[in-house]
Amino acid sequence: MTARKTVQNHNYPFTAIVGQDSLKHALVLSAVDPSLGGVLALGDRGTGKTTAVRGLAALLPTITAVNSCRYKCDPAGSGNLCSDCANNANLAAEETAIVDVPVVDLPLGATEDRVLGALDIERALVSGEKAYEPGLLADANRGYLYIDEVNLLEDHLVDVLLDVAASGWNVVEREGLSVRHPARFVLVGSGNPEEGELRPQLLDRFGLSVDVTTPADVKQRVDIIRRREAYDENPAEFCKSWKGQNTKLCNAILKAREALKVLHVDDEVLGLIAEICIALGTDGLRGELTLIKAARAEAAFSDSRSVTADHVRKMAPLALAHRLRRNPLDDARNTVRVERSLEEIFTTRNAA
Amino acid sequence: MVEPQTATEFDNQTSSEEVQLWADALLAVDVFALAMERAVHKGSIGICIKAQAGPVRDCWLEKLQSRMPHKQVRRLPVGISEEQLIGGLDISDTLVSGHTVVRKGLLASAHNGLLIAPMADGLEPNVAAQIAMVMDSGEIRIERDGLSQEFPSEFGLIAFDESEPDEGGLAAGLADRLMLHIDISKISLRATKVEVKTRLRAVAHEADLSDAQYEDICQMAMAFGLHSMRPAMQVIQISKLVCLLNGRKAVEQSDIVDAVRLTLLGRAAAMPEMPSQEEGEEQEPQPEPEENNQDPEASQSEQNSTEPDETATDLDIPPDDVLLDALAANLPSGLLAQLKATAELNKRKSARSAKGRSGAVKKASTRGRRLSSRRGELRSGNRLDLIATLRAAVPWQKSRGADNKDTIDRAGRVHIRPSDFHIKRYKQKSGSTCLFVVDASGSTALNRLAETKGAVELLLGESYSRRDHVGLVSFRGQAAEVLLSPTRSLVRAKRALAALPGGGGTPLASGLFSALEIATEERRQGRTMSIVVLTDGSANVDMVGNGGRPKALEDALQVAACIRVEGFDVMLIDVGRQPSERAENLARAMDAAYVPMPFASSTSLSQAVRQQAV
């Protein structure tokens, strides 16, 4: 396998991003609970979507992986294991390595064989050997897969990605190969809906969605430019000055991950969540499940002992806005529609 | 846009304007060259020049290249494939050498050089997006054909925008990343002969801006309707470069004004209120009233349609007056009116230029039903059929072994030549396009334009769930207008529909003809077409825009017959107050399904469209 750089040395620090609070919040929660199902960032050009996702890489805590395993399996045996590691009785004794959480970029123009993995052509042609060359999905295992301009990606590639993201396994049946390997990752997509609508089934698969817009405040804009210039001037120095902030956030995420384990959601809150989803008429149950998880992650991150209605209310727009059925006669943004319903539900609740 | 003036005035003014524009174009060359030399930001530096091919453009390009004589120049052909752009596996060399050989794409081989893109407005959306990404990162990643490689890719992109004023222009994502935007399309060759003062070579390394200047620039970018962060940063960079070129170290107001001219004016989507603008408007004569069919509603609705723009500019924060004064003083007066018109166009562009921006059509399909393999080249995402390739190679093994005795392989390797390659082929069911042709003339506008819009919205919702592409043509006044070329973006369609003004005559023939043109083009691209015409069947403007009912109706029926011959699926929804024979006749002429709107409940409408689209 060719060595590939997944993390750049000096990414623009995540905590130094001005504004874009909901995007940052969604990304942080996806780090707290990776099973949330990914983040979709839709919006204007030049809003720092890409910067935020790449910044997350530098921030996340490192992971331990089996050294010899090309899928970075966990030596402790947690999560999905590849067939070699699963059959290895002495897995815990294997040599390990500390690696950064992988953040794999799926560039535009990547072909299916590189995404899924395919027959190693060189070995097939030269020595006639039938060998599997893992693709980007294998690299992304236990980390993030980032797709910029997700609406420009070919439909069938998107379908495959969503399938893998949901199941955590990549199954390759092509060119006489039959391989199944773990590919558990958080899918982060970004795009501009002006450049092509996303399909509803695609939207539904993302856990959280955020609308990103450029700040209209001049002071904030100047701030953005100033920081960017400082970063461009000396990336290393700039990152150093934000290291403290990044570490703080990283610790908060780790703490929230621990807290998540003991946090449970009581029936009243579940009832509220069901009520919201019925009122909004979201298709299927994915909305409910995501909202439950999101509210838990939010409670854990905000250091709260139980999940309350406030947590639900805060997370509902992120978890549900992209799951509403399209109403061509209603021009309001989906987040506005969610807010409207929430307002109604909470007013009647408070009155009761 | 073009102000009628007396001949002498015209000559004097244009020549001074042209000289100014040419001076700006040359300043842009200096800035571009310095930006390349200093590598002002990570990644590539780009310039967008609005110009048709011609001597002026050649002259400009010559000036640019003479500033950077050592840069290698590459051309970006407009129809470039992803394969050629990004690179991939060099299959012949791989076979000959026995190990994988990477073929660099254009983006990688343009590293450290200049990349010239003529007709950049025609680039495929995926190609434009790819270039935009590489311009940001400064490197190209190849994840294709089982390869995974990175190459540095930093270049100077010179993108020629050759679009007509009412066409789309550059892909928005790419345009956003280009630092300079200049227009030399209005310059005559004569103006290029005028001596322009040469600038000093920049000596100092860094120029400084004050806090207030930062704020001014941010406000300025927003006032011009550019909400992305990049244009503001580009103004800052250019201001600094201009300042350095002027041999100073502290940025002055004139530098910022120059920078705004070089980068914001060309792509402005709104115009801030300029001090001298009122005068310019006074000089501008009212458009002559057209001879026929200009009824009161038409002018009324025209006023309506300009209203949102005014409110939009009101919303923007008024930028610093001093800076605007300076900018206005700096511009020839004729230019202001022109710029305002351009801004207006830029604003509407997004609605019109949907040309296939969503879901780029892949010619080589890689999914669907398998067909038999064919001999072919391993390019652009084709998949090799290994078995068929081997089968093709087997009969030649003996002779190929004999050809090159010295390299004969005793281990029993198979000799495969590029000519043996067989490519898997698939048959893919292509998408469908639903084209709406809406009568927005005075008669409909009075009665039922709102209902018609409602019906179209309903149908849009339907086509959305079926993942159709949708397009929108309206006809009113003198001729038809394509509001939206077929796209998959519902947002766009809705916006175009909402902004549709009503009033004027009924050029039915012209509307149908536009539909016919679009439908033919869409079908050529392999999509299934269905056309939905919403009209009451009356017509009073003929093909060429003259009034008169009999001729108008005759023309309409003639175009309808053409549509029938082409065999498109057509549905005609009669939006008249009562179902009319006229509309039914027209439907018959097109072989269309006829649905009178008074009976068209939401469900029956959508059912009718669904049946059509099967």
Side-chain angles (χ1 to χ4, degrees):
Chain A
M1 181 181 164
T2 22
R4 233 176 45 76
K5 186 169 62 169
T6 49
V7 180
Q8 301 198 331
N9 289 335
H10 294 294
N11 273 297
Y12 188 87
F14 187 73
T15 42
I17 295 166
V18 182
Q20 304 303 355
D21 293 330
S22 58
L23 175 61
K24 283 191 283 185
H25 193 67
L27 287 172
V28 166
L29 292 190
S30 79
V32 170
D33 183 359
S35 71
L36 255 175
V39 178
L40 177 66
L42 293 175
D44 300 343
R45 279 173 284 282
T47 45
K49 290 173 288 204
T50 314
T51 312
V53 179
R54 299 200 175 142
L56 196 68
L59 179 116
L60 290 172
T62 52
I63 54 173
T64 319
V66 175
N67 214 2
S68 60
C69 177
R70 71 226 279 210
Y71 307 109
K72 296 188 272 305
C73 284
D74 185 1
S78 73
N80 296 345
L81 295 181
C82 69
S83 52
D84 285 350
C85 292
N87 295 332
N88 188 346
N90 292 327
L91 186 63
E94 281 287 328
E95 213 173 294
T96 60
I98 308 274
V99 291
D100 285 331
V101 170
V103 173
V104 175
D105 254 312
L106 186 74
L108 275 178
T111 53
E112 196 181 324
D113 53 62
R114 270 305 296 151
V115 176
L116 304 177
L119 187 73
D120 186 333
I121 295 219
E122 180 167 341
R123 278 162 82 182
L125 285 176
V126 175
S127 56
E129 218 178 311
K130 200 167 77 178
Y132 174 67
E133 166 79 27
L136 296 175
L137 292 181
D139 296 345
N141 188 29
R142 300 182 71 197
Y144 283 74
L145 185 72
Y146 175 56
I147 314 170
D148 198 3
E149 311 268 14
V150 66
N151 36 3
L152 287 179
L153 211 62
E154 278 175 72
D155 280 353
H156 72 285
L157 211 50
V158 177
D159 293 341
V160 172
L161 282 174
L162 290 170
D163 239 24
V164 175
S167 67
W169 291 98
N170 178 25
V171 182
V172 182
E173 295 285 354
R174 53 184 285 166
E175 289 149 5
L177 292 166
S178 180
V179 180
R180 180 170 184 268
H181 72 75
R184 191 166 278 288
F185 52 82
V186 177
L187 193 62
V188 181
S190 77
N192 188 343
E194 291 259 308
E195 282 159 18
E197 199 90 23
L198 276 113
R199 292 176 290 147
Q201 57 268 55
L202 169 69
L203 288 171
D204 188 46
R205 292 291 188 87
F206 282 95
L208 305 177
S209 80
V210 279
D211 282 341
V212 283
T213 46
T214 36
D217 177 46
V218 173
K219 290 261 183 291
Q220 215 176 26
R221 291 176 81 103
V222 172
D223 230 20
I224 294 175
I225 293 177
R226 277 285 164 90
R227 282 196 196 166
R228 187 80 220 183
E229 281 186 339
Y231 168 76
D232 283 340
E233 190 127 311
N234 191 345
E237 194 59 36
F238 188 79
C239 291
K240 215 166 129 195
S241 67
W242 285 91
K243 200 159 188 261
Q245 294 269 13
N246 266 2
T247 318
K248 218 166 107 189
L249 182 60
C250 176
N251 289 338
I253 291 173
L254 288 179
K255 201 173 147 206
R257 277 186 187 169
E258 284 305 310
L260 198 64
K261 290 177 187 160
V262 293
L263 209 60
H264 74 272
V265 190
D266 58 31
D267 288 355
E268 199 202 336
V269 173
L270 290 181
L272 171 69
I273 288 172
E275 197 186 327
I276 293 173
C277 289
I278 291 167
L280 285 168
T282 53
D283 289 336
L285 286 172
R286 212 172 265 137
E288 262 108 325
L289 292 171
T290 311
L291 184 51
I292 295 169
K293 279 186 178 173
R296 274 183 76 213
E298 168 66 17
F301 187 67
S302 57
D303 213 4
S304 157
R305 299 233 162 160
S306 61
V307 181
T308 65
D310 286 345
H311 296 135
V312 175
R313 170 152 202 179
K314 189 168 177 201
M315 295 317 296
L318 291 173
L320 299 178
H322 54 298
R323 292 176 216 276
L324 299 194
R325 217 175 271 176
R326 263 291 170 158
N327 182 356
L329 303 175
D330 193 345
D331 241 351
R333 282 188 113 136
N334 283 348
T335 36
V336 178
R337 282 169 63 196
V338 175
E339 281 297 338
R340 236 165 20 202
S341 296
L342 287 176
E343 194 65 47
E344 275 169 34
I345 292 171
F346 276 84
T347 347
T348 44
R349 267 173 68 92
N350 291 342
Chain B
M1 276 160 252
V2 182
E3 291 178 76
Q5 276 157 332
T6 58
T8 47
E9 253 180 340
F10 190 77
D11 271 2
N12 286 339
Q13 195 170 10
T14 40
S15 61
S16 77
E17 245 171 59
E18 281 176 18
V19 170
Q20 160 98 58
L21 284 171
W22 181 246
D24 276 355
L26 294 184
L27 177 60
V29 168
D30 289 337
V31 170
F32 184 74
L34 188 61
M36 289 279 288
E37 190 185 306
R38 297 272 164 95
V40 286
H41 59 75
K42 193 186 161 205
S44 302
I45 287 153
I47 177 167
C48 168
I49 310 105
K50 220 172 157 40
Q52 301 291 332
V56 180
R57 185 169 109 176
D58 293 344
C59 175
W60 181 86
L61 196 56
E62 213 171 89
K63 295 251 186 230
L64 182 96
Q65 280 176 309
S66 69
R67 289 297 306 271
M68 292 173 269
H70 305 301
K71 293 277 182 197
Q72 198 189 7
V73 178
R74 292 274 181 162
R75 283 188 167 261
L76 180 75
V78 68
I80 191 168
S81 68
E82 238 175 28
E83 169 92 19
Q84 290 165 309
L85 188 73
I86 301 169
L89 189 70
D90 190 324
I91 204 83
S92 323
D93 280 6
T94 300
L95 282 174
V96 170
S97 64
H99 56 84
T100 45
V101 179
V102 184
R103 192 160 38 79
K104 280 190 185 181
L106 182 61
L107 288 176
S109 47
H111 181 54
N112 275 336
L114 293 175
L115 187 61
I116 298 177
M119 280 192 279
D121 48 304
L123 288 173
E124 294 283 327
N126 54 337
V127 169
Q130 182 75 53
I131 297 171
M133 271 183 194
V134 168
M135 288 189 72
D136 270 355
S137 65
E139 55 193 23
I140 173 88
R141 253 179 74 201
I142 304 177
E143 296 286 354
R144 299 172 73 89
D145 313 331
L147 286 171
S148 178
Q149 286 244 351
E150 265 177 9
F151 290 104
S153 174
E154 290 187 2
F155 47 83
L157 177 68
I158 300 150
F160 288 110
D161 178 0
E162 299 180 20
S163 63
E164 292 295 319
D166 57 344
E167 285 174 349
L170 255 59
L174 179 59
D176 198 40
R177 288 167 170 89
L178 300 181
M179 191 170 171
L180 296 146
H181 289 250
I182 57 166
D183 186 346
I184 56 170
S185 59
K186 308 267 185 332
I187 302 177
S188 64
L189 193 59
R190 200 168 29 140
T192 65
K193 303 284 181 273
V194 178
E195 273 301 311
V196 176
K197 81 164 182 168
T198 45
R199 280 168 202 277
L200 300 164
R201 273 199 67 75
V203 194
H205 270 275
E206 186 57 48
D208 290 318
L209 276 112
S210 72
D211 285 357
Q213 281 171 328
Y214 271 96
E215 280 185 26
D216 285 352
I217 289 171
C218 284
Q219 276 182 347
M220 201 72 165
M222 280 200 283
F224 279 100
L226 300 166
H227 291 272
S228 163
M229 288 306 298
R230 289 197 187 93
M233 293 175 93
Q234 287 156 353
V235 174
I236 290 171
Q237 280 164 352
I238 296 170
S239 306
K240 287 182 178 173
L241 292 172
V242 172
C243 168
L244 292 178
L245 284 168
N246 285 330
R248 279 182 271 109
K249 286 187 88 171
V251 173
E252 286 176 11
Q253 197 185 45
S254 66
D255 304 328
I256 301 179
V257 170
D258 282 344
V260 169
R261 271 207 329 276
L262 290 183
T263 188
L264 294 185
L265 290 189
R267 52 178 154 166
M271 283 303 274
E273 285 298 312
M274 294 236 189
S276 62
Q277 201 174 314
E278 282 84 14
E279 294 164 39
E281 265 175 349
E282 271 164 20
Q283 286 166 6
E284 208 173 344
Q286 289 294 311
E288 274 182 64
E290 270 99 357
E291 275 173 29
N292 56 343
N293 300 307
Q294 191 75 24
D295 41 15
E297 301 105 60
S299 48
Q300 173 73 43
S301 62
E302 263 167 27
Q303 275 167 17
N304 284 346
S305 66
T306 55
E307 251 171 39
D309 306 339
E310 282 163 25
T311 47
T313 27
D314 283 348
L315 283 177
D316 292 322
I317 306 149
D320 187 19
D321 281 346
V322 189
L323 195 57
L324 270 181
D325 279 342
L327 182 64
N330 203 282
L331 289 171
S333 63
L335 204 61
L336 261 180
Q338 204 179 28
L339 279 169
K340 210 176 163 207
T342 325
E344 205 63 21
L345 273 171
N346 282 344
K347 200 166 183 175
R348 272 183 291 163
K349 254 178 198 173
S350 63
R352 290 218 202 131
S353 65
K355 197 170 111 194
R357 198 148 287 176
S358 72
V361 189
K362 276 244 143 180
K363 279 179 194 98
S365 61
T366 49
R367 64 196 291 234
R369 197 158 57 84
R370 264 297 292 279
L371 300 172
S372 62
S373 300
R374 279 277 171 80
R375 228 173 261 274
E377 277 183 303
L378 267 188
R379 268 172 192 277
S380 59
N382 286 346
R383 273 170 71 174
L384 180 73
D385 188 335
L386 202 57
I387 307 292
T389 305
L390 286 174
R391 204 177 289 138
V394 163
W396 308 101
Q397 290 312 303
K398 214 167 177 186
S399 60
R400 280 177 191 171
D403 275 352
N404 32 11
K405 282 227 163 25
D406 40 349
T407 60
I408 195 158
D409 198 338
R410 287 169 213 290
R413 277 191 217 161
V414 185
H415 294 268
I416 295 179
R417 299 282 155 83
S419 60
D420 297 330
F421 291 146
H422 276 62
I423 301 301
K424 289 181 184 172
R425 291 191 310 146
Y426 299 86
K427 184 178 184 177
Q428 192 174 8
K429 200 181 161 201
S430 56
S432 61
T433 304
C434 192
L435 182 67
F436 294 95
V437 186
V438 181
D439 181 349
S441 65
S443 54
T444 327
L446 264 182
N447 302 318
R448 327 215 19 188
L449 187 58
E451 278 130 291
T452 307
K453 282 185 180 183
V456 175
E457 270 194 335
L458 200 78
L459 298 171
L460 279 177
E462 274 296 317
S463 15
Y464 174 70
S465 61
R466 283 199 316 269
R467 302 192 50 216
D468 282 350
H469 285 236
V470 290
L472 195 58
V473 175
S474 87
F475 55 96
R476 62 182 273 267
Q478 306 294 293
E481 190 184 7
V482 181
L483 291 178
L484 186 72
S485 310
T487 168
R488 216 158 74 196
S489 166
L490 189 67
V491 182
R492 275 218 164 101
K494 262 163 52 185
R495 205 173 289 161
L497 187 66
L500 169 64
T506 317
L508 180 59
S510 165
L512 292 177
F513 189 69
S514 290
L516 178 64
E517 276 183 327
I518 295 174
T520 320
E521 170 63 17
E522 285 292 295
R523 185 151 73 183
R524 217 172 49 75
Q525 290 182 10
R527 295 207 197 96
T528 316
M529 271 311 292
S530 47
I531 305 173
V532 181
V533 185
L534 294 102
T535 176
D536 56 1
S538 64
N540 59 12
V541 178
D542 67 9
M543 259 323 268
V544 287
N546 293 327
R549 275 173 200 280
K551 179 74 167 62
L553 202 63
E554 193 192 313
D555 281 0
L557 287 173
Q558 215 168 351
V559 181
C562 294
I563 294 179
R564 182 196 189 124
V565 170
E566 289 293 328
F568 293 112
D569 275 329
V570 189
M571 181 169 70
L572 189 141
I573 299 176
D574 188 350
V575 298
R577 222 176 302 205
Q578 252 105 44
S580 69
E581 211 178 313
R582 257 187 334 221
E584 215 169 349
N585 278 337
L586 183 67
R588 213 169 303 129
M590 290 188 287
D591 205 5
Y594 175 72
V595 185
M597 181 123 106
F599 307 115
S601 71
S602 55
T603 39
S604 70
L605 256 184
S606 52
Q607 259 167 12
V609 179
R610 200 176 298 146
Q611 277 165 5
Q612 288 290 312
V614 165

